[in-house]
Amino acid sequence: MRFKPDNSTALYIRLQHVRPGWRIALLSGFIVQLLLILFVTSIGLNQLAATSKNLKTVVEVHMRKQSLTKTMVTSARERTVNLFRMVESTDPFERDDLFLQFSDNAVEFLTARDQLLKMPLSSRERELIELQGKLTNSSVPIQNQVFDLLGAESHEAEALLLKEAIPAQNKVLDALAQLDSETQKTALEASSRAAKAHDVARSWMYALSGIALLIGFFVAAAVIHLTNRATREREHLATHDVLTGLPNRMLFTDRLEQALARALRHNELVGVMFIDIDRFKLVNDTLGHAGGDKLICEVAERLKSAVRAEDVVARLGGDEFVVVITEAQKVSQILQAVEKLLALVSKPYQIAARELFSSCSIGVSVYPNDGANSTVLIKNADTAMYHAKASGRNRFQLYDTAMNAMAEERLQLETDLHYALERDEFIFHYQPQLNLETGRVQTVEALLRWNHPQKGQLAPAAFLELLEETGGIIEVGRKLMIEACRQVASWHSAGFPDLAIAINISGKEFWHEGLVQSVMTALEASGLSPEFLQLELTEGIFMQDTDRAVSKILALKGLGVAVAVDDFGTGYSSLAHLKRFPLDCLKIDRYFVKDIEDALINEAFISSILALCQGLHLDTVAEGVENAQQLQRLRNLGCQVVQGYLVSRPVPAGEIAKLLARDWRDEFGHESEAAI
Ligand code: C2E
Ligand code: CA
Ligand code: CA
């Protein structure tokens, strides 16, 4: 299969650049999640610290307060008991002992009270302590009175104790009992506050963890989604053509093999079409790569729309497509589809705001007739496509086995061409252009011949296209131009000083940047004066990049050489269009000369060209003049210069001199005018 440049490379690179996007998303997703976890953890820790601080306060402050209150209650109670026992006791030693304990109780009580007063207290607690202080203050003088009465008046002391001291002390104990319950209440409140704060902290933790989990879930889902998409994109990219979205060669081969396996099971036919857009390079050259890409996409769309869903349409690269028609029972079914595709592709296109006509050549191979596997079927469809192209484009060709031999031959020719130049196998033959008025040959056209070592002499039709494709034409043209110029210079010295030479320049040679230099070198090397050299350019050149073509022609004309349009009338150019180019001569294609006698339209065409050329001061040459009748007609229409087998076939250089020496009026004189 031939290699063609791919317009879609730029697009592929663009897509490659998108891919790190999901990696950034993935990374930022994880960072967000990590930050959230950090945030939640720090809030949780803070709340925990606050809760434990609360609890610590409950334990340290409230428990302590309770224990101090308890101490105060106990000491007050013991003091009352000791006072009572002192009153009851008759033993003065025991009384002393009890008094000591009584005093210790007071110390214990006061120490606890002092400490309690230093603790954080509620107003109610403070109030109760103050009340207790007042009650104690009023009970102490009574107790002192009881002490004074001890010993001698123990009955009075007992009476005072029971009547006043104990009730006063009970009041103190009452106040203390209230204080005790108040501290307990405060402690309970504080602990329930701490528990509540703990609950709040816990709820916050739950809520935030829930949110973090939710966000984490979303991030993970997004990451999975992105990763899946990236994987799908990568897979699509690996199996599809970026420009058209069609399956690429890999996927196509796979599908074709599936179709073949199915066809084997069901005893069906499979058609493989190899499709190549005609003159795609011209579209690329004229409309640029963007235009070319657009045409390819349009063609892809049309191909897809023309086949069934189970058929396969793929792009192999460049302007090459393949279509597989599956589940066919008869070859005619496949050919119907082929004809439908051909018709669809040749409908006009709207590209870059202009209407464009395109066509394609299709090669068809059929399973199992033309191959048992995908490789052979594709190869044979390709070979058939090449034949479709060679036999005139915008057509299809069914593969047949003889084509393989031809493909083989072509490959051999390619190898032979490779060596032909270094072995000097290329030569020029020369064909005269006769001026009917002077009866002299005024110009000879150099025509390429290849002295093939095995096949003998070959005309350009057998190898020129291949020589152009391989680029060998540049080197051949350059080398032979020098030779031809030398040849004409030698004819000048041999006594034909007015003879000019016409050399064919193909599109590839014309656009090659070395052309002007090659012409200069040929003129210098041969010493030929430039006005004797004419370059024949084909119409295609004038249809491409007009500005560039004009400036190139001007550069050539700057050297002093003449420029002719070859094969005029076969392409799409009009004289109106050609007016924009600085030309010297126009060669009317032999197609119009051939039928000049039968088709009036050709005569009309030639006469209008002649008239217009006269107006534009363009010389004209009628090509392919083969008989006297054609010559006479042309002469009558006012044509001055003719070229064709009637005068002479192209001949080797050695045979030219005798043609130059002849006065042709003897043969094609005016007397034959009567023959009209
Ligand atoms: P072309 O430039 O139109 O050359 C005229 C072709 O018509 C020649 O074919 C010639 O032999 C043929 N011919 C001349 N008189 C008659 C006639 O009366 N009847 C018929 N039927 N044919 C006639 P040839 O030599 O086979 O060349 C074919 C084409 O190859 C040329 O067409 C030209 O386009 C190209 N070519 C030839 N030599 C060169 C070359 O050196 N360089 C390039 N780039 N192209 C060349
Ligand atoms: Ca020519
Ligand atoms: Ca021609």
Side-chain angles (χ1 to χ4, degrees):
M1 258 156 261
R2 287 171 298 285
F3 174 78
K4 302 247 169 115
D6 196 340
N7 286 337
S8 54
T9 322
L11 238 149
Y12 178 74
I13 291 166
R14 232 166 25 232
L15 263 167
Q16 281 262 311
H17 279 183
V18 175
R19 284 170 59 195
W22 64 263
R23 265 183 239 143
I24 292 169
L26 200 97
L27 200 73
S28 39
F30 278 125
I31 290 173
V32 167
Q33 216 185 347
L34 212 72
L35 285 175
L36 262 164
I37 290 168
L38 274 174
F39 182 63
V40 169
T41 315
S42 76
I43 286 191
L45 285 175
N46 259 339
Q47 287 291 341
L48 269 178
T51 314
S52 38
K53 204 173 140 204
N54 269 346
L55 282 171
K56 206 173 153 201
T57 316
V58 170
V59 172
E60 280 183 358
V61 176
H62 297 282
M63 293 302 165
R64 178 103 183 101
K65 266 160 72 177
Q66 259 188 302
S67 105
L68 289 171
T69 314
K70 284 263 167 350
T71 311
M72 279 166 73
V73 171
T74 320
S75 342
R77 239 183 235 140
E78 273 180 22
R79 214 168 121 92
T80 315
V81 171
N82 286 333
L83 184 64
F84 185 76
R85 281 171 63 192
M86 265 192 289
V87 173
E88 293 297 302
S89 174
T90 45
D91 180 358
F93 294 106
E94 192 193 5
R95 263 210 304 266
D96 282 350
D97 227 23
L98 287 167
F99 185 75
L100 271 176
Q101 278 180 36
F102 180 82
S103 305
D104 281 352
N105 291 148
V107 172
E108 211 173 46
F109 180 89
L110 286 173
T111 315
R113 190 173 185 271
D114 278 351
Q115 280 178 8
L116 188 61
L117 279 169
K118 281 180 199 146
M119 308 275 315
L121 296 171
S122 69
S123 54
R124 177 67 185 149
E125 284 170 327
R126 206 166 284 282
E127 208 176 282
L128 287 168
I129 293 171
E130 270 165 25
L131 175 68
Q132 168 270 316
K134 272 184 208 147
L135 291 171
T136 305
N137 284 346
S138 54
S139 78
V140 169
I142 304 170
Q143 286 168 6
N144 287 342
Q145 274 180 339
V146 173
F147 289 137
D148 292 343
L149 295 174
L150 277 180
E153 295 127 295
S154 58
H155 287 293
E156 280 174 46
E158 191 180 346
L160 190 62
L161 177 75
L162 291 174
K163 238 173 91 197
E164 288 186 42
I166 289 190
Q169 190 63 9
N170 278 349
K171 279 187 192 156
V172 172
L173 282 171
D174 256 3
L176 283 175
Q178 280 182 55
L179 178 65
D180 186 31
S181 83
E182 185 62 33
T183 8
Q184 250 183 57
K185 206 177 100 195
T186 324
L188 268 175
E189 272 170 13
S191 90
S192 93
R193 260 204 315 279
K196 244 187 225 146
H198 183 80
D199 280 352
V200 171
R202 207 174 42 192
S203 321
W204 268 105
M205 287 277 283
Y206 282 148
L208 286 172
S209 309
I211 291 171
L213 207 73
L214 219 64
I215 292 180
F217 175 76
F218 279 122
V219 167
V223 164
I224 288 169
H225 172 75
L226 280 169
T227 318
N228 281 348
R229 203 174 65 183
T231 313
R232 272 201 309 278
E233 264 172 18
R234 253 208 316 274
E235 269 170 15
H236 190 88
L237 215 65
T239 52
H240 287 78
D241 166 46
V242 182
L243 181 63
T244 59
L246 290 178
N248 63 11
R249 186 186 293 269
M250 200 174 88
L251 185 59
F252 160 72
T253 313
D254 193 55
R255 297 257 174 94
L256 175 56
E257 262 150 26
Q258 280 172 25
L260 295 181
R262 197 200 124 90
L264 180 68
R265 281 197 309 274
H266 295 87
N267 210 12
E268 291 165 346
L269 302 178
V270 176
V272 178
M273 297 183 216
F274 201 103
I275 303 173
D276 190 286
I277 302 177
D278 296 331
R279 298 196 178 85
F280 178 68
K281 207 181 146 334
L282 192 70
V283 177
N284 249 353
D285 287 346
T286 329
L287 300 182
H289 275 244
D293 280 356
K294 215 148 169 253
L295 178 64
I296 284 182
C297 289
E298 273 280 325
V299 170
E301 278 306 313
R302 290 187 189 184
L303 293 180
K304 240 178 7 195
S305 72
V307 298
R308 299 164 307 166
E310 56 270 33
D311 297 334
V312 189
V313 179
R315 180 181 175 221
L316 297 189
D319 59 339
E320 289 179 342
F321 295 90
V322 271
V323 173
V324 176
I325 303 293
T326 57
E327 298 168 28
Q329 306 302 329
K330 288 187 270 173
V331 175
S332 62
Q333 253 173 289
I334 296 169
L335 296 186
Q336 255 169 22
V338 175
E339 274 171 347
K340 189 171 159 197
L341 289 184
L342 262 180
L344 208 62
V345 172
S346 57
K347 288 212 170 108
Y349 297 81
Q350 280 296 330
I351 285 168
R354 56 199 272 190
E355 192 171 52
L356 188 100
F357 284 88
S358 187
S359 62
C360 64
S361 302
I362 306 183
V364 187
S365 65
V366 178
Y367 169 87
N369 315 6
D370 304 325
N373 60 54
S374 60
T375 319
V376 176
L377 285 165
I378 297 172
K379 185 180 137 274
N380 289 347
D382 183 23
T383 307
M385 190 281 293
Y386 174 74
H387 279 261
K389 217 147 240 190
S391 50
R393 300 184 161 95
N394 193 20
R395 62 181 63 216
F396 75 85
Q397 176 71 55
L398 203 58
Y399 173 78
D400 83 62
T401 37
M403 287 175 185
N404 257 348
M406 285 165 84
E408 199 72 21
E409 198 175 331
R410 187 181 140 88
L411 205 70
Q412 182 60 46
L413 207 65
E414 218 174 298
T415 319
D416 294 346
L417 264 182
H418 200 75
Y419 297 106
L421 190 70
E422 49 191 72
R423 291 185 197 145
D424 275 333
E425 288 169 4
F426 291 112
I427 56 155
F428 268 148
H429 276 192
Y430 298 89
Q431 187 179 33
Q433 288 176 5
L434 179 66
N435 187 320
L436 294 175
E437 248 160 53
T438 59
R440 294 282 170 184
V441 171
Q442 65 174 39
T443 305
V444 286
E445 179 178 357
L447 292 159
L448 191 59
R449 298 291 177 266
W450 177 11
N451 286 325
H452 191 281
Q454 284 89 38
K455 297 191 169 98
Q457 195 167 79
L458 300 177
F463 62 88
L464 195 63
E465 200 181 320
L466 206 58
L467 199 61
E468 293 232 359
E469 263 178 39
T470 56
I473 186 74
I474 304 290
E475 199 49 40
V476 173
R478 192 180 3 232
K479 202 169 159 194
L480 287 193
M481 194 187 297
I482 300 174
E483 226 174 277
C485 289
R486 283 201 175 119
Q487 184 60 63
V488 187
S490 81
W491 284 322
H492 282 185
S493 346
F496 309 103
D498 302 325
L499 184 69
I501 174 115
I503 294 180
N504 292 287
I505 303 290
S506 68
K508 199 151 202 167
E509 290 173 276
F510 180 80
W511 294 114
H512 191 263
E513 79 258 5
L515 178 68
V516 177
Q517 184 57 51
S518 300
V519 175
M520 225 149 74
T521 311
L523 291 171
E524 275 167 17
S526 60
L528 182 72
S529 179
E531 72 261 28
F532 295 112
L533 176 59
Q534 183 171 78
L535 303 177
E536 294 190 2
L537 312 178
T538 44
E539 271 188 290
I541 290 171
F542 304 97
M543 295 310 291
Q544 293 179 31
D545 190 339
T546 310
D547 293 340
R548 259 180 72 213
V550 168
S551 67
K552 193 121 197 195
I553 292 171
L554 282 174
L556 290 169
K557 296 206 58 167
L559 300 176
V561 303
V563 175
V565 189
D566 206 356
D567 306 337
F568 180 75
T570 53
Y572 303 100
S573 67
S574 62
L575 264 179
H577 179 69
L578 288 181
K579 246 177 25 191
R580 303 166 63 184
F581 299 91
L583 303 169
D584 302 283
C585 178
L586 191 143
K587 296 186 77 179
I588 302 167
D589 193 75
R590 72 163 174 271
Y591 170 82
F592 302 98
V593 174
K594 199 175 84 198
D595 297 328
I596 193 165
E597 291 152 295
D598 317 318
L600 277 173
I601 181 89
N602 287 339
E603 191 176 311
F605 177 79
I606 292 177
S607 81
S608 66
I609 291 176
L610 290 173
L612 279 164
C613 283
Q614 231 170 6
L616 292 170
H617 303 290
L618 275 178
D619 292 337
T620 42
V621 177
E623 291 189 291
V625 182
E626 292 183 349
N627 57 52
Q629 285 79 10
Q630 290 168 341
L631 181 89
Q632 200 49 51
R633 287 270 170 168
L634 287 165
R635 199 205 308 265
N636 289 345
L637 289 173
C639 186
Q640 260 189 29
V641 186
V642 292
Q643 178 182 354
Y645 293 168
L646 179 66
V647 180
S648 165
R649 285 182 174 266
V651 292
E655 294 176 29
I656 281 289
K658 65 173 188 275
L659 299 174
L660 298 180
R662 250 158 72 181
D663 183 348
W664 293 82
R665 272 176 300 195
D666 300 344
E667 266 154 281
F668 309 130
H670 290 276
E671 69 274 11
S672 53
E673 224 159 318
I676 315 164

